[in-house]
Amino acid sequence: LAKTTQPISMDSYEGQEVNITCSHNNIATNDYITWYQQFPSQGPRFIIQGYKTKVTNEVASLFIPADRKSSTLSLPRVSLSDTAVYYCLVGDFSSASKIIFGSGTRLSIRP
Amino acid sequence: EAGVAQSPRYKIIEKRQSVAFWCNPISGHATLYWYQQILGQGPKLLIQFQNNGVVDDSQLPKDRFSAERLKGVDSTLKIQPAKLEDSAVYLCASSLGDRDEEKLFFGSGTQLSVL
């Protein structure tokens, strides 16, 4: 099992860039890194997925160093609506029980 | 595109009663997952289906939980008998099953309270 470690909580302000780092020292060769966002009373929502280097989509960027032992989710110019719990997952969903959600990072955005 | 549909949204039962949850995945999604999310924790996988076959049920408490996915589309998750510790949100998710990008789409869940 690829265990992940991420901060329990983070605070930031509207308009700032937020970076959430996740450690996954025992990542396997076939493992992908995936981030999900969850609002209260909703299921998690896929944000971004990557294998190495940098991936960017319309909502976030994911930076993965060469050794892949960590990754950083970058949210540009956050707003109040980005207040949520963010989960870093590592693994291969061909066997989903090996992918642990953990407790996530509770991000709070202030005006 | 319609999302993952789950019902009921809320359910309150007494311990030792039985309960069932229903999930309709996104059309065309081969893989279906049931997760249990206890308050303050991340979701925990209960069972994973590929079409109508079970891929992984290693974390399903089989003495009281059961799940089926008839015809590879809708799925039901049942708890019989329920215990107090089963109080949680039960999330259903589906995915294409495409190994190139494994993106799960979650429903809003069923919040179960066992009294």
Side-chain angles (χ1 to χ4, degrees):
Chain A
L1 294 175
K3 179 177 168 56
T4 60
T5 302
Q6 53 183 123
I8 294 173
S9 64
M10 293 180 67
D11 295 323
S12 188
Y13 293 91
E14 281 191 297
Q16 299 294 305
E17 178 184 76
V18 172
N19 296 310
I20 306 174
T21 297
C22 179
S23 298
H24 28 82
N25 291 320
N26 60 342
I27 188 169
T29 303
N30 294 332
D31 288 346
Y32 281 76
I33 300 158
T34 312
W35 286 80
Y36 281 82
Q37 174 192 57
Q38 187 174 27
F39 298 113
S41 301
Q42 294 186 25
R45 183 175 74 102
F46 174 93
I47 301 175
I48 197 165
Q49 184 179 77
Y51 183 80
K52 61 180 179 180
T53 63
K54 176 183 175 182
V55 179
T56 298
N57 62 22
E58 63 276 9
V59 297
S61 294
L62 178 60
F63 298 91
I64 306 169
D67 66 6
R68 302 199 329 123
K69 293 183 183 298
S70 67
S71 59
T72 299
L73 174 71
S74 182
L75 304 173
R77 297 180 299 281
V78 294
S79 64
L80 296 176
S81 63
D82 292 314
T83 295
V85 178
Y86 292 81
Y87 296 99
C88 165
L89 310 179
V90 171
D92 174 357
F93 270 96
S94 63
S95 183
S97 65
K98 298 178 182 177
I99 303 176
I100 309 300
F101 266 82
S103 297
T105 296
R106 189 170 300 275
L107 176 64
S108 297
I109 305 300
R110 305 170 190 268
Chain B
E1 178 182 87
V4 176
Q6 290 189 246
S7 67
R9 189 76 176 88
Y10 303 93
K11 189 72 176 179
I12 301 173
I13 61 173
E14 295 187 351
K15 60 183 179 183
R16 291 188 289 275
Q17 286 187 321
S18 62
V19 64
F21 313 122
W22 173 82
C23 173
N24 179 238
I26 293 173
S27 177
H29 279 195
T31 310
L32 185 147
Y33 313 77
W34 281 101
Y35 283 85
Q36 178 193 58
Q37 185 171 24
I38 293 172
L39 186 65
Q41 299 180 18
K44 172 189 166 186
L45 180 77
L46 293 174
I47 190 166
Q48 176 184 1
F49 291 94
Q50 180 76 17
N51 296 308
N52 61 350
V54 175
V55 172
D56 189 338
D57 64 356
S58 58
Q59 300 182 113
L60 186 73
K62 298 180 185 63
D63 58 333
R64 298 185 302 107
F65 286 65
S66 65
E68 61 181 7
R69 190 181 184 197
L70 298 177
K71 300 180 182 179
V73 182
D74 292 5
S75 177
T76 56
L77 176 69
K78 296 179 182 178
I79 307 175
Q80 182 179 10
K83 293 185 176 181
L84 297 177
E85 58 261 36
D86 297 332
S87 294
V89 175
Y90 291 85
L91 295 162
C92 178
S94 69
S95 70
L96 281 170
D98 180 356
R99 294 287 295 273
D100 289 337
E101 184 186 72
E102 195 61 77
K103 180 190 295 187
L104 270 61
F105 294 82
F106 284 83
S108 295
T110 296
Q111 184 170 328
L112 174 67
S113 296
V114 182
L115 307 178

